[in-house]
């Protein structure tokens, strides 16, 4: 397709899109619980009503039904990353096996077992509470978009085989039989407890389960201050105060007033689009009968999956705003999505007549080690769990369980692992953060097509210890 033809296709496709997450644009969204007012006592207060906070509330109540558990959410449940992701479920609790090998080579076996247990417990809980979140357990597939990426992907495949994953290597013909794209050269398809989920339905189901267990959830209730009061904690909101024994900060990319979190997390913004439902004839043009969740090997990766009504969700276009803005104007500007739409039509030129229905952005809690980490504050009476770096749809359950274990001081072998004990490293503050991020994202946007200084810069940034 010529540049002019491509621009016409993109402009036509984007012209009637809504600026909101497809997942949240759903008549089955529950009403908000009331905002918190007055004074209350609790055993545990959880700040944040995303997956981490909701799982923490459920698991805390399951462990001890007599515990008074309160969730305070600044917006509505699933307002944050949990209502906005691609929704690909992965067995790994930390951005895949290759990342486990990079960060904690000594602990791979333990991390693999934790990942499998996490998914088994995740599945069992969904069955127990009757949560219907359109889950399809069809695996996750990484596709090489360049011949040069095949050898690295093959190494990743070998690593998966070594650790006993149910994984298949697909050559060019094999991958085209799964999903037709002129870009796909080969793939690794892992079918180990992985697939796709409707994330907002998952969050709403977890909310309903938590309420049923007796958790008190307050929405539109932002924590405005957190302090220690003897052996208790005081949580302030705009209109009230909760005195609690323990506090769980499940705030993902938000730093919850803790400068220590801000030093270790960059709140970046990723962008996503949803197409209109594909017709049967359009589906035939691409295949995708096995409906896997897919990542590609572009340096700034794209991810893609189908919805229950056969839309394609396609994401992966990251930006950063000075200070980590959570509500940037660019999320509502169509120009922001041009690069993403171009990547989509380059991947699937045969879908040139498909229209885009929804466009949105969401916060990513980028950490240098690409995995959840835990920090204790106020002599262990508060804990933070975050840093998933865009990989927490299932891993957030592990984050919740581990955060609760650290809060209660449980003596469990998994709490002694480095993943639970060691924090992610410091990231330079502003304005260096903004300058570094700007150059890096500019380099990422064109490195695969243009190379040059971009490659040199990204190599330098990697050597400093920042993966992407
Ligand atoms: C665009 C995008 C695509 C992604 N795709 C995938 C994917 O395909 N697969 C995958 O595994 N992961 C993916 N992720 C990551 C995944 O969505 C997150 O890791 C996960 O949702 C994190 O859940 P959480 O509960 O920790 O955070 P969140 O869902 O962000 O919840 C944090 C909550 O804290 C609340 N909060 C913050 N401050 C306060 C305060 N002071 N008082 C009260 N409440 C507060 C916020 O309002 C927010 O609701 C993606 C993320 C994004 C943004």
């Amino acid at each position: 397709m010529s540049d002019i033809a491509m621009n016409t296709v993109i402009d036509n496709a984007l012209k009637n899109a809504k600026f909101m997450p497809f997942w949240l644009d759903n008549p089955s969204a529950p009403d908000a619980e009331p905002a918190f007012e007055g004074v209350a006592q609790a055993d545990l207060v959880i700040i944040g009503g995303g997956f981490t906070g909701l799982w923490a509330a459920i698991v805390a109540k399951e462990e001890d039904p007599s515990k008074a558990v309160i969730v305070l959410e600044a917006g509505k449940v699933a307002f944050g990353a949990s209502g906005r992701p691609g929704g690909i479920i992965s067995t790994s609790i930390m951005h895949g096996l290759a990342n486990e090998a990079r960060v904690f080579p000594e602990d791979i076996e333990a991390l693999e077992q934790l990942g499998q247990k996490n998914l088994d417990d995740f599945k069992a809980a969904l069955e127990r509470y009757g949560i219907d979140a359109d889950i399809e357990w069809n695996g996750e597939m990484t596709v090489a978009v360049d011949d040069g990426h095949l050898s690295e992907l093959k190494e990743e495949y070998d690593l998966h085989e070594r650790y006993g994953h149910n994984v298949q290597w697909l050559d060019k013909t094999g991958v085209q039989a799964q999903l037709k794209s002129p870009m796909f050269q080969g793939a690794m398809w892992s079918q180990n407890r992985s697939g796709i989920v409707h994330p907002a339905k998952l969050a709403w189901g977890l909310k309903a389960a938590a309420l049923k267990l007796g958790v008190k959830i307050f929405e539109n209730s932002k924590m405005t201050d957190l302090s220690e009061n003897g052996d208790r904690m005081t949580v302030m909101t705009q209109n009230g105060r909760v005195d609690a024994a323990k506090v769980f900060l499940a705030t993902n990319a938000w730093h919850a007033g803790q400068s220590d979190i801000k030093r270790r997390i960059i709140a970046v913004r990723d962008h996503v689009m949803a197409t209109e439902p594909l017709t049967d004839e359009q589906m035939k043009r691409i295949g995708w009968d096995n409906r896997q969740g897919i990542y590609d090997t572009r340096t700034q990766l794209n991810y893609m999956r189908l919805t229950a009504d056969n839309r394609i969700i396609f994401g992966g276009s990251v930006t950063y705003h000075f200070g980590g803005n959570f509500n940037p104007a660019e999320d509502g500007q169509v120009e922001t999505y041009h690069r993403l739409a171009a990547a989509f039509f380059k991947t699937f030129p045969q879908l040139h007549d498909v229209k885009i229905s929804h466009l949105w952005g969401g916060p990513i809690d980028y950490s240098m080690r690409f995995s959840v980490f835990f920090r204790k504050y106020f002599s262990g009476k508060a804990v933070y769990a975050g840093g998933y770096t865009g990989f927490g749809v299932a891993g957030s359950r592990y984050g919740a369980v581990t955060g609760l274990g650290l809060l209660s001081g449980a003596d469990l072998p998994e709490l002694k692992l480095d993943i639970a004990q060691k924090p992610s490293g410091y990231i330079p503050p502003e304005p260096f953060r903004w300058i570094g991020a700007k150059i890096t994202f500019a380099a990422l946007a064109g490195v695969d097509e243009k190379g040059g200084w971009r490659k040199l810069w990204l190599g330098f940034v990697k050597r400093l210890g920042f993966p992407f």
Side-chain angles (χ1 to χ4, degrees):
M1 218 186 292
S2 72
D3 284 355
I4 298 176
M6 175 64 105
N7 284 335
T8 310
V9 166
I10 293 173
D11 289 343
N12 273 334
L14 292 177
K15 74 180 169 214
N16 292 318
K18 277 188 194 174
F19 293 100
M20 79 173 292
F22 163 70
W23 308 120
L24 299 178
D25 187 11
N26 191 309
S28 64
D31 291 338
E33 293 298 301
F36 183 76
E37 277 181 24
V39 178
Q41 302 284 324
D43 297 303
L44 174 66
V45 176
I46 296 163
I47 313 300
F51 295 140
T52 305
L54 295 167
W55 278 119
I58 289 171
V59 174
K61 270 291 198 186
E62 285 176 340
E63 282 173 2
D64 181 356
S66 70
K67 236 182 203 167
V69 179
I70 288 180
V71 175
L72 298 174
E73 163 54 46
K76 281 186 74 176
V77 155
F79 162 81
S82 302
R84 297 160 190 270
I88 300 174
I89 301 176
S90 173
T91 333
S92 168
I93 49 173
M94 54 173 298
H95 238 285
L97 190 44
N99 195 47
E100 291 169 18
R102 175 183 75 88
V103 185
F104 299 120
E106 307 294 316
D107 293 339
I108 299 186
E109 272 171 23
L111 294 171
E112 284 287 287
Q113 276 169 20
L114 283 173
Q116 293 186 11
K117 178 172 177 352
N118 183 54
L119 252 301
D120 290 344
D121 292 349
F122 175 100
K123 260 187 182 174
L126 264 50
E127 276 163 27
R128 197 158 57 247
Y129 297 112
I131 297 175
D132 176 8
D134 298 347
I135 296 194
E136 299 182 49
W137 296 106
N138 293 337
E140 53 185 336
M141 190 160 90
T142 308
V143 293
V145 292
D146 186 297
D147 268 350
H149 300 171
L150 285 169
S151 58
E152 206 174 312
L153 188 58
K154 185 74 178 27
E155 278 174 30
E156 211 176 315
Y157 163 79
D158 290 342
L159 193 63
H160 280 77
E161 274 230 298
R162 200 174 325 141
Y163 285 95
H165 285 241
N166 174 11
V167 66
Q168 274 184 58
W169 178 256
L170 302 172
D171 62 10
K172 189 163 180 175
T173 314
V175 69
Q176 297 296 330
Q178 293 299 322
L179 176 57
K180 292 183 192 66
S181 162
M183 297 193 68
F184 297 171
Q185 306 300 318
M188 173 184 85
W189 177 14
S190 165
Q191 294 178 62
N192 239 35
R193 300 171 170 88
S194 51
I196 51 177
V197 62
H198 186 307
K201 285 192 183 173
L202 172 59
W204 298 331
L206 294 174
K207 172 182 168 180
L211 288 170
K212 216 167 162 187
L213 288 167
V215 174
K216 295 207 166 93
I217 299 179
F218 298 95
E219 293 175 79
N220 299 304
S221 303
K222 182 176 180 183
M223 176 185 77
T224 52
D225 189 53
L226 176 65
S227 60
E228 208 170 5
N229 182 7
D231 61 354
R232 310 263 304 167
M233 296 297 299
T234 302
V235 180
M236 300 299 299
T237 68
Q238 295 102 322
N239 296 315
R241 188 186 82 220
V242 190
D243 295 317
K246 305 271 174 163
V247 176
F248 193 133
L249 301 172
T251 52
N252 186 35
W254 287 264
H255 54 86
Q258 303 303 313
S259 52
D260 179 62
I261 300 176
K262 205 169 184 179
R263 280 190 212 117
R264 297 173 196 278
I265 295 276
I266 309 188
V268 298
R269 205 88 198 144
D270 194 13
H271 297 92
V272 190
M273 54 186 231
T275 68
E276 296 283 0
L278 268 54
T279 61
D280 291 348
E281 186 275 321
Q282 285 167 332
M283 282 296 289
K284 277 203 187 103
R285 291 185 215 160
I286 54 169
W288 215 344
D289 294 342
N290 284 314
R291 307 175 63 87
Q292 308 91 332
I294 293 183
Y295 310 98
D296 71 22
T297 56
R298 285 184 179 100
T299 311
Q300 182 174 164
L301 74 82
N302 287 121
Y303 44 90
M304 55 208 92
R305 47 82 50 100
L306 290 165
T307 60
D309 63 352
N310 285 344
R311 293 163 195 268
I312 297 178
I313 304 289
F314 191 89
S317 174
V318 184
T319 55
Y320 179 69
H321 302 270
F322 193 86
N325 185 350
F326 287 97
N327 193 16
E330 67 159 26
D331 277 10
Q333 293 163 355
V334 75
E335 300 74 38
T336 307
Y337 302 89
H338 263 247
R339 183 152 45 88
L340 189 61
F344 174 80
F345 287 113
K346 206 172 156 197
T347 310
F348 301 117
Q350 67 273 46
L351 295 182
H352 53 83
D353 52 346
V354 165
K355 303 285 179 280
I356 310 302
S357 64
H358 295 75
L359 300 166
W360 68 96
I364 301 267
D365 46 351
Y366 177 101
S367 69
M368 278 176 77
R369 78 176 198 205
F370 267 40
S371 93
V372 61
F373 64 87
F374 305 89
R375 294 294 280 162
K376 290 197 212 168
Y377 304 108
F378 303 103
S379 318
K381 292 193 287 296
V383 74
Y384 164 79
Y388 302 97
T389 321
F391 217 73
V393 166
S396 47
R397 188 174 197 282
Y398 162 78
V401 171
T402 305
L404 287 176
L406 292 168
L407 259 185
S408 70
D411 185 21
L412 297 169
E414 59 266 31
L415 298 180
K416 298 191 174 103
L417 291 171
D418 284 350
I419 189 171
Q421 292 294 330
K422 288 195 177 160
S424 191
Y426 282 142
I427 299 169
E430 301 294 10
F432 308 105
R433 186 175 282 209
W434 181 79
I435 295 166
K438 274 278 165 205
I439 304 174
T440 304
F441 290 137
L444 277 172
V447 65
D448 292 333
E449 294 79 24
K450 298 178 191 150
W453 69 268
R454 298 166 187 83
K455 247 187 166 156
L456 292 175
W457 174 263
L458 294 177
F460 166 68
V461 173
K462 258 190 176 170
R463 276 197 299 281
L464 291 178
F466 295 91
F468 31 78

